[in-house]
Amino acid sequence: PSDEVLFDRDGYPLISPRNQDLLLVTVPDSNWEYTRVSADGNAIHTNPYIADIAGLPGTITHGLWTSASTRALVECYAADDDPERIRMYQTNFVGMVLPRDKLRTELFHVGMKDGRMLVKGITSKVGGGPVLECTAEIEQPATAYVFTGQGSQEVGMGMELYKQSAAARDVWNRADRFMVAKYGVSLLKIVRTNPKELAVHFGSKTGEDIRRNYMSLTKRSGSDKGKSVPLFPEITLDSYSYTYRSPTGLLNSTQFTQVALITFAMAAVADMRAKSLVQKGAVFAGHSLGEYAALSSMSGMFTLEDVLAIGFYRGMLMQSSVKRDTQGRSQYGMVAVDPSRLGSGVDESVMTLAIGTICEHRGGLLEVVNYNVRGSQYVVAGTLHQLALLRLVLDAIARQGAPADGNWELLISLIVGDVLASPVDSKPVRGRATIPLPGIDVPFHSRQLLSGVDEFRALLQGMIQPENINYPVLHLRYIPNVTAVPFEVSREYFTLVHSITQSPVAASVLDSWTDAALDSDDDIARLAATLLVELLAYQFASPVQWIDAQNVLLGKLGVHRLVEVGAASILSDMIVKTLKSEAFSSKHVEILHVDRDRDAIYYTQP
């Protein structure tokens, strides 16, 4: 079958030769017990005279006993003692088995089919020939695919797979052709060499088309009554070229970072699909930008070209969302915060109380935008001044320790007052619990970006169409950043989204909701498209709820195997920390990264 991929050299043994005795079974002395249990009273199994008349060498053991005995070994060594993972088991009897025979089974992992392991087995008499052949399809453990966001990029990412895999190479080449034709930029060149400067020329007929593409990109003005203004005001009909520049290389420029990471993920998944490694029915989620890679790779709701256009526009919209000085600098930044470094008794609630108190005393953006690991890993965005205040306040908390009376509100209020009494240097420096994130001068996932929601919604509405929605793939399997609740088309879910975002579109849907809203598949697809647009439109202006997403993956959805798709093992490290928490300390999860753990994901022969 086309979805079945067989390994070279007939696969590999599931039990190494030195441990073959684990697959050794001795047949019972008598067949009477199995006869009683199975109600198979055929006398050839229990009466030696009847067996002799039938020309048999003795009372032969039931074939189903041999089948069940072999299946038990498949369950133990191929399915890790989980019988529900065995989705198909077939046998072919090729020899007779007698009581007291010693049987040895060999099990081989020979290929993959729709994410299931294809297993073949041969059970033979010790010192004799085969008696049974079997085949089985074994589901992988309940798997989640998680997709890394911005910050994981690195020069040359995905290029080794580009050389090795026709499926991955096709994705990268399509992405490169699209970026060259649409924006005059080679994505492969940016990924391979990370140039600090790249010029786009508009002189030819193709160049004129590219110039029009740039001029068509607009955003909502924050100062001119919401009027649309160009995203590239420097590009006009008189422009002969446009030059991108970045002191750290264009791979680190948001618009190209987003396109490159989406392509990396889609190429990696394309290669896994080509080898039938992706589990059907798996759950999936992505962190920030990774959400787009997740939806594109796992649900197919976007074409490659559409999701790259979304990623490029999203990056430009984010980059242009803040005012800059004549040298291109903004007054915003982001810091990683670890409240556990402040001392015993300090947790997320103390951090959020400190942020709230600072905002009460001094206006300006200061907001938790990534909830990554409970108690130890958060990202806060804000103005440089507000971030400096947060650092000083948290440092003071570390010095003073927890209040004896437990009144954190009073202590933090006093600390903030003391800090504000002196001049504050806004220069980003490391604190006791804060680390500035270098090169980031846009407050991603903060309310500062809300002005871009309407413009981004309009783009998404043109690309997310009901006919492209495969709702069963999304239903209770896709975990959005905004809600961290498995996706579902329901009145309750629209209510949840509205309560978080105050989306007027969600409000309109709720106002017109009737008992017949979900009567047809077309109605569900239409509402699913609307819901997806709102979740993604508000995503870049809403905090990433990754703590809650991990809790859902590990708890409600019962994930036992997690595959991270990204250039660096960022989400894997987060899940390792989460598993150390009291809530999940007894849970075992196989944590795999698409590059680091390639042998395990691809079942490379040991």
Side-chain angles (χ1 to χ4, degrees):
S2 59
D3 56 359
E4 182 176 291
V5 178
L6 299 179
F7 296 156
D8 294 335
R9 298 185 296 277
D10 298 323
Y12 63 91
L14 287 170
I15 296 293
S16 66
R18 64 177 179 272
N19 293 322
Q20 279 297 309
D21 285 350
L22 295 172
L23 301 178
L24 190 64
V25 173
T26 300
V27 182
D29 294 344
S30 166
N31 297 326
W32 277 105
E33 182 63 20
Y34 191 83
T35 295
R36 183 184 66 81
V37 171
S38 66
D40 180 354
N42 193 325
I44 64 172
H45 299 302
T46 55
N47 190 319
Y49 300 106
I50 298 297
D52 183 60
I53 292 171
L56 300 172
T59 53
I60 62 171
T61 297
H62 298 76
L64 289 180
W65 181 93
T66 308
S67 172
S69 173
T70 301
R71 189 187 190 282
L73 296 174
V74 172
E75 181 179 312
C76 178
Y77 296 107
D80 297 326
D81 289 320
D82 184 353
E84 292 187 4
R85 287 178 55 193
I86 301 179
R87 298 306 172 89
M88 186 278 285
Y89 176 73
Q90 293 179 341
T91 56
N92 180 34
F93 300 102
V94 295
M96 288 185 291
V97 176
L98 300 176
R100 292 182 295 280
D101 277 349
K102 292 187 181 299
L103 305 179
R104 187 186 303 278
T105 298
E106 297 176 278
L107 297 175
F108 300 89
H109 182 191
V110 298
M112 299 296 297
K113 180 181 179 180
D114 284 336
R116 294 177 181 175
M117 300 167 59
L118 296 178
V119 173
K120 287 188 176 181
I122 300 175
T123 297
S124 306
K125 290 184 181 181
V126 175
V131 296
L132 177 144
E133 298 170 344
C134 72
T135 57
E137 292 182 12
I138 313 296
E139 194 72 79
Q140 297 175 104
T143 299
Y145 295 90
V146 294
F147 293 76
T148 319
Q150 196 162 335
S152 62
Q153 69 274 10
E154 54 187 46
V155 179
M157 63 183 187
M159 292 299 98
E160 193 63 32
L161 189 62
Y162 179 93
K163 296 175 187 175
Q164 299 170 357
S165 165
R169 189 160 52 250
D170 178 65
V171 172
W172 278 106
N173 287 342
R174 277 179 60 195
D176 192 65
R177 287 193 298 270
F178 172 78
M179 291 298 292
V180 169
K182 187 82 171 178
Y183 303 116
V185 172
S186 170
L187 179 62
L188 284 169
K189 180 177 181 179
I190 289 175
V191 171
R192 286 168 173 160
T193 66
N194 191 26
K196 295 183 178 180
E197 185 174 297
L198 196 152
V200 181
H201 298 282
F202 305 137
S204 65
K205 176 66 172 69
T206 300
E208 291 176 1
D209 292 339
I210 292 170
R211 181 172 57 197
R212 279 193 292 272
N213 292 336
Y214 278 109
M215 291 176 65
S216 69
L217 297 175
T218 62
K219 66 173 183 176
R220 197 66 57 88
S221 170
S223 57
D224 194 8
K225 297 182 179 179
K227 178 183 176 182
S228 288
V229 297
L231 264 177
F232 290 86
E234 311 92 332
I235 299 178
T236 67
L237 287 173
D238 296 325
S239 301
Y240 288 101
S241 66
Y242 178 81
T243 300
Y244 289 100
R245 293 184 177 88
S246 172
T248 60
L250 293 177
L251 183 57
N252 297 310
S253 290
T254 301
Q255 67 273 30
F256 297 125
T257 304
Q258 303 211 7
V259 169
L261 288 173
I262 289 171
T263 305
F264 175 97
M266 294 190 72
V269 174
D271 183 61
M272 287 191 284
R273 286 196 187 281
K275 295 173 173 62
S276 212
L277 293 164
V278 178
Q279 184 182 65
K280 279 194 171 181
V283 298
F284 57 96
H287 190 286
S288 186
L289 171 71
E291 187 165 0
Y292 292 86
L295 285 167
S296 302
S297 302
M298 301 301 292
S299 78
M301 61 180 277
F302 296 117
T303 66
L304 172 64
E305 290 76 13
D306 279 352
V307 77
L308 295 183
I310 290 170
F312 184 84
Y313 182 74
R314 180 178 184 268
M316 285 304 307
L317 204 57
M318 286 178 155
Q319 199 66 24
S320 64
S321 64
V322 297
K323 292 182 179 179
R324 299 180 181 276
D325 63 20
T326 56
Q327 296 181 337
R329 297 173 300 190
S330 87
Q331 287 301 306
Y332 295 92
M334 296 173 74
V335 300
V337 181
D338 180 357
S340 68
R341 292 182 57 83
L342 298 177
S344 176
V346 181
D347 56 16
E348 177 185 317
S349 64
V350 174
M351 175 191 68
T352 54
L353 181 59
I355 290 171
T357 305
I358 291 169
C359 292
E360 287 176 7
H361 284 75
R362 185 65 58 88
L365 181 71
L366 189 64
E367 183 180 345
V368 182
V369 294
N370 285 184
Y371 293 84
N372 290 333
V373 180
R374 190 173 304 284
S376 66
Q377 197 167 333
Y378 304 84
V379 175
V380 176
T383 65
L384 295 177
H385 184 265
Q386 293 287 81
L387 292 173
L389 287 176
L390 178 63
R391 169 178 55 81
L392 294 170
V393 169
L394 295 182
D395 285 353
I397 290 173
R399 288 193 302 271
Q400 296 191 30
D405 60 359
N407 192 339
W408 278 107
E409 188 172 345
L410 176 59
L411 175 63
I412 290 174
S413 181
L414 293 172
I415 289 174
V416 170
D418 289 343
V419 168
L420 289 174
S422 303
V424 174
D425 184 353
S426 297
K427 182 180 179 181
V429 295
R430 185 168 183 160
R432 177 68 178 269
T434 57
I435 303 174
L437 301 182
I440 297 180
D441 62 357
V442 176
F444 301 128
H445 296 290
S446 75
R447 62 181 182 274
Q448 179 66 30
L449 276 64
L450 282 171
S451 61
V453 167
D454 289 344
E455 207 78 30
F456 197 47
R457 178 192 288 115
L459 176 72
L460 292 170
Q461 286 172 336
M463 294 186 177
I464 300 178
Q465 298 298 320
E467 58 267 25
N468 297 328
I469 302 297
N470 186 349
Y471 182 60
V473 173
L474 299 169
H475 182 229
L476 301 181
R477 297 179 186 174
Y478 153 53
I479 306 174
N481 280 190
V482 170
T483 62
V485 173
F487 183 83
E488 181 179 32
V489 176
S490 66
R491 184 171 189 166
E492 292 74 19
Y493 208 99
F494 270 97
T495 301
L496 173 64
V497 171
H498 180 259
S499 69
I500 295 170
T501 65
Q502 301 303 304
S503 159
V505 174
S508 176
V509 170
L510 290 168
D511 288 343
S512 60
W513 194 280
T514 67
D515 292 340
L518 305 178
D519 277 0
S520 72
D521 289 344
D522 288 344
D523 289 335
I524 292 172
R526 177 180 54 79
L527 287 169
T530 300
L531 190 54
L532 284 162
V533 167
E534 293 311 292
L535 286 167
L536 295 177
Y538 280 94
Q539 187 242 45
F540 73 16
S542 304
V544 176
Q545 302 291 347
W546 198 249
I547 291 173
D548 291 340
Q550 290 177 99
N551 291 343
V552 169
L553 290 171
L554 298 175
K556 181 178 180 179
L557 297 180
V559 166
H560 288 280
R561 178 174 176 265
L562 183 138
V563 178
E564 179 179 7
V565 183
S569 58
I570 294 174
L571 303 181
S572 298
D573 296 344
M574 291 182 191
I575 207 85
V576 167
K577 293 177 181 177
T578 297
L579 285 168
K580 292 178 180 178
S581 67
E582 185 177 348
F584 301 111
S585 58
S586 61
K587 186 177 180 69
H588 174 73
V589 178
E590 184 181 20
I591 301 170
L592 303 170
H593 179 266
V594 70
D595 281 343
R596 182 192 65 198
D597 304 299
R598 181 176 173 83
D599 286 351
I601 294 170
Y602 282 73
Y603 298 100
T604 303
Q605 184 172 344

